[in-house]
Amino acid sequence: MMDTLLWLAVRALAPDTLMWLRVYRKNQPEYFKENAMKADACYPAISPGTGARP
């Protein structure tokens, strides 16, 4: 029963989520560049363990 409800929820939300991502990508293309995620992984906003900004 819960699996069915979860599946129905995912099917209902997926089109809206994809539409939102399409609009967001159009308005903020710099977030979707190939190397955007690599930069965040290499240079985090806050240093792990210290909480200080680099």
Side-chain angles (χ1 to χ4, degrees):
M1 176 83 172
M2 290 299 287
D3 291 342
T4 303
L5 292 176
L6 179 61
W7 178 244
L8 290 173
V10 168
R11 286 189 63 196
L13 292 174
D16 292 337
T17 303
L18 293 173
M19 184 171 47
W20 177 83
L21 282 171
R22 186 180 308 132
V23 170
Y24 195 70
R25 185 176 183 177
K26 183 178 179 183
N27 293 334
Q28 303 290 334
E30 64 274 8
Y31 294 155
F32 292 88
K33 290 183 181 175
E34 184 178 337
N35 292 328
M37 296 301 286
K38 291 179 184 174
D40 290 342
C42 295
Y43 305 104
I46 297 175
S47 297
T50 65
R53 296 190 182 272

